[in-house]
Every structure is written in structure tokens, then in C-alpha cells.
Amino acid sequence: MAKNITFIVTKDCQLACKYCYLVGKNMKERMGFETAKAAVDYILGDREQFSEDSVVFDFIGGEPFLEIDLIDRLCDYIKQQLFLLDHPWFNSYRFSFSTNGINYHEKKVQQYIEKNKSHLSIGITIDGTRAKHDLNRVYKNSNRGSYDDVVRNLPLWLSQFPDMGTKVTISSPDIPFVKESILHLYSLGIKEVNVNCVFEDVWKDGDDALFEEQLVALADEIIDRGLYRDHFCSFFTGDIGRPLDPERENQNWCGAGMMLSVDAAGNFYPCTRFAAFSLRNKKPIIIGNVREGIDRDKLRPFLTLDRLTQSPEECKNCEVAAGCSWCQGENYDAASKPTIFRRSTAICRMHKARVRANNYYWSRLERLETKEEIEKLRNREGACCDILL
């Protein structure tokens, strides 16, 4: 099991994506090296609390590569300390990025990649066709789309990380572009496409029907063209849309409380979504800082979270509950009270539409492939997971 530790290195970004949950972006809050160093020293110095076998150091913004100088220096420090401390993570760590891809080609970014390639994973976010991507992923202060500036860097990225996938976000206005966008990403050379609907309550009457229509049409294209053999789309997975056993499958969907985030001020959060720039309606939940460490009393409620402690009865008894996801931060932000124990159900209809399309997809495949091949495909698909950042 890996510990996920997130550094919010900046709250700035070149883009102002229309569906972005980061409502407090700004150019002022940038992490300094001393703050980042203090966080590393605290984490590496407490092996009892951070006892996992491996670690993922995740760098986010805003756009993390805007702070490549800090990140490069910090990663050098992490590697040095892991060696000097004879830390168990020395040969079991990874640096992880989700980037908008705009400055991926720049010299400093490429030098960093070359230096850390064996312990690095980088995902570039592209939403699909130019029409879908530029509908939402626009430059701040101009509303100009960013598609061309991202696509130009895809060949370089794929040559360095050929097995990495991209993530696509679906919101109400771009549902009509779903099918062609997934197929377009395949045509660009991306073989794994992870997709999620935004968790916020943005959905309109009829969105679920249109969504299902798009997914059924996509299923037909993927199957008719044999793309399912060597491509993946997280819309179609082998183990969703069934009831859940409350005794065996009662875990929390996300890792809030199990992961750790730190911001430019040195504050610790149970997840990035509990930082102020991620919240529309609620106050941030700070569980400690780099000087005093983690306050276990503030962390403890997150460690008690599971499906039953926060779900309404309709979710507990839902016949298609498997695969229905949630964001702990959005649960908190959308709740009528300041609680983390109230699950938001804004994507309920969208999940059910996905389940119906997923059933159609597997029903068609089962008429074409042997039971053995179907089992392989289901297992392969089940090994993948949606990217929810």
C-alpha cells in the first residue's frame, strides 16, 4: 500500500477551466522551499505514522510545472534524505503529476523528466476533440481554447510515457461530444482514457438520457472496430452496476484522511479538496501543519468514514451501487451542515445512465467473445480505476 502525499506547489494556472473545482486560484500562494522541506522532514522523520511500504509524492496546482524549479530542488532533497536516513521508501517512491500539458516541452521540464524518469508518472489532461476541449479548457482572461497548445506536446509525452492514460471530465454542456472525443483520443495514440462526470450539482433534466445515448453509440464503435482489444475507457468496466455487500464492501470511495496534502502556508489537509481554494461554501479543514505535525483528533473523523456512515438509505439499498463514486470534499462542500458524513448524490442519474450503457457494452461483447476472453477483459478493465483529480 502506498502513501499519497500531495504538495500544492501553486494556486496559479494558465487556464480557467469552466468546470474546475478550484475556485480560489491566484498568483500569490506559491510554495517556498523551506515550507516544502519542513513537510518532507516531518513525514520522513515519523516512520510510525507514515508506515506504508511505498509513497507517491504528488505535485499539483493550479499547474504544477509552473513551479518546476521548486519541484526539481525538492525532489533532489527527497532522494537525498531517503538515502541518508536509510528510509524504506528509498527504492519505493514515485513522483506524480497531472498537468495541462502546455509547458511540457520546455527545457527545464524536460531536464527534470530525464533526471527522474525511472520514478516518474505524468498524465496530460486533454478532453477530446478540439470542440469539446476548447469548450471548457480555456486560457484565463481570454476564453481562448488550449487544444492546439496541448496536442503539440502529445507525441513527446507518449514517446516518454507510452502506457500513461489521460483523463476526461464530463459536464453538462459537453455531453454531445462524448463519443467522438473518446474515439479522437484513441486516434491521437492514447490507449487509456479515464473519464469522470463532475461531482458538483450541474446536471439538467435530460442529461442522463443524452449521456446514455452517447455511451451506447461509443460502445458500438469500440466493439465494431475491435478497439476494446487494446484500448481502455473507464466508462466500460467489468464490475459496476450491482448491489454492494455492506459487510464486504463498506469502504470509503476515496482516500481522504489516508492521504495527506500540504499547501504553501505549510498547512496539512486530509485531501486537497479540503483546502480553501477548493471550497465554494465551507471553511477549510486543516488537520495540522509542518511545525506542529498532524492533530490526530482532527484526523480521526476521516478515518471512520465508510459507505454506510455517510450514505442516505437510497444509496445503501441501491441495486446498481457498485461503481458509484463520490468526492469527500464535495460531500462536505455541498452538505447543508458543516459535516463530512453526508454524501452528495448529484451524479446519481448519470451513474445509472452509465450502468445501463455498460450493461449494453458487455452484453454485446459476450455475444462475440468466449467466456475465457470476457473474463480476461473484465479483469483487465477492473484493474484500472477512474482518475478523479
Side-chain angles (χ1 to χ4, degrees), residues 154-193:
L154 290 187
L156 174 60
W157 170 60
L158 288 172
S159 71
Q160 294 169 329
F161 301 97
D163 298 324
M164 283 299 296
T166 191
K167 77 178 182 70
V168 174
T169 300
I170 306 297
S171 60
S172 181
D174 47 66
I175 294 174
F177 302 99
V178 167
K179 183 197 81 171
E180 61 180 346
S181 287
I182 305 303
L183 297 174
H184 179 67
L185 293 173
Y186 288 167
S187 75
L188 293 175
I190 300 171
K191 292 192 174 183
E192 179 172 331
V193 180

Side-chain angles (χ1 to χ4, degrees), residues 7 9-10 12-14 30 59-72 75 95-113 116 120-125 153 157 160-161:
F7 290 86
V9 295
T10 180
D12 190 18
C13 185
Q14 307 99 319
R30 300 169 54 196
F59 299 96
I60 70 165
E63 168 51 42
F65 282 139
L66 291 176
E67 295 296 327
I68 188 59
D69 290 332
L70 167 69
I71 291 170
D72 189 23
C75 288
F95 300 136
S96 177
F97 296 80
S98 181
T99 172
N100 60 35
I102 290 170
N103 59 341
Y104 186 83
H105 63 287
E106 291 180 356
K107 183 178 179 180
K108 287 183 177 181
V109 174
Q110 287 302 307
Q111 287 175 335
Y112 170 84
I113 290 172
N116 295 283
L120 195 60
S121 61
I122 300 177
I124 290 182
T125 298
N153 284 326
W157 170 60
Q160 294 169 329
F161 301 97

Side-chain angles (χ1 to χ4, degrees), residues 326-341:
W326 62 85
C327 168
Q328 205 64 55
E330 176 58 20
N331 287 354
Y332 169 65
D333 206 21
S336 58
K337 299 179 180 179
T339 177
I340 59 173
F341 292 97

Side-chain angles (χ1 to χ4, degrees), residues 234-257:
S234 65
F235 277 141
F236 307 119
T237 54
D239 192 35
I240 71 167
R242 58 174 176 78
L244 287 174
D245 183 337
E247 294 185 2
R248 292 190 307 107
E249 301 174 290
N250 190 33
Q251 66 273 16
N252 195 23
W253 177 266
C254 76

Side-chain angles (χ1 to χ4, degrees), residues 114-263:
E114 180 63 27
K115 181 163 60 173
N116 295 283
K117 181 85 180 294
S118 62
H119 288 273
L120 195 60
S121 61
I122 300 177
I124 290 182
T125 298
I126 177 169
D127 257 1
T129 61
R130 178 182 280 105
K132 181 185 178 329
H133 185 97
D134 285 352
L135 183 66
N136 285 305
R137 301 186 68 81
V138 298
Y139 281 93
K140 61 182 180 182
N141 304 322
S142 74
N143 209 41
R144 178 172 68 87
S146 60
Y147 175 88
D148 290 335
D149 293 331
V150 177
V151 167
R152 69 176 180 178
N153 284 326
L154 290 187
L156 174 60
W157 170 60
L158 288 172
S159 71
Q160 294 169 329
F161 301 97
D163 298 324
M164 283 299 296
T166 191
K167 77 178 182 70
V168 174
T169 300
I170 306 297
S171 60
S172 181
D174 47 66
I175 294 174
F177 302 99
V178 167
K179 183 197 81 171
E180 61 180 346
S181 287
I182 305 303
L183 297 174
H184 179 67
L185 293 173
Y186 288 167
S187 75
L188 293 175
I190 300 171
K191 292 192 174 183
E192 179 172 331
V193 180
N194 296 279
V195 198
N196 66 274
C197 295
V198 298
F199 291 102
E200 289 77 17
D201 190 7
V202 301
W203 306 105
K204 302 173 183 176
D205 289 342
D207 278 352
D208 53 332
L210 181 57
F211 187 47
E212 182 180 352
E213 180 183 305
Q214 283 284 305
L215 293 187
V216 167
L218 175 61
D220 284 336
E221 288 283 347
I222 289 174
I223 293 172
D224 292 344
R225 293 162 58 177
L227 294 170
Y228 61 89
R229 296 187 177 94
D230 55 4
H231 290 74
F232 170 78
C233 175
S234 65
F235 277 141
F236 307 119
T237 54
D239 192 35
I240 71 167
R242 58 174 176 78
L244 287 174
D245 183 337
E247 294 185 2
R248 292 190 307 107
E249 301 174 290
N250 190 33
Q251 66 273 16
N252 195 23
W253 177 266
C254 76
M258 304 302 293
M259 60 182 71
L260 183 70
S261 294
V262 57
D263 69 4

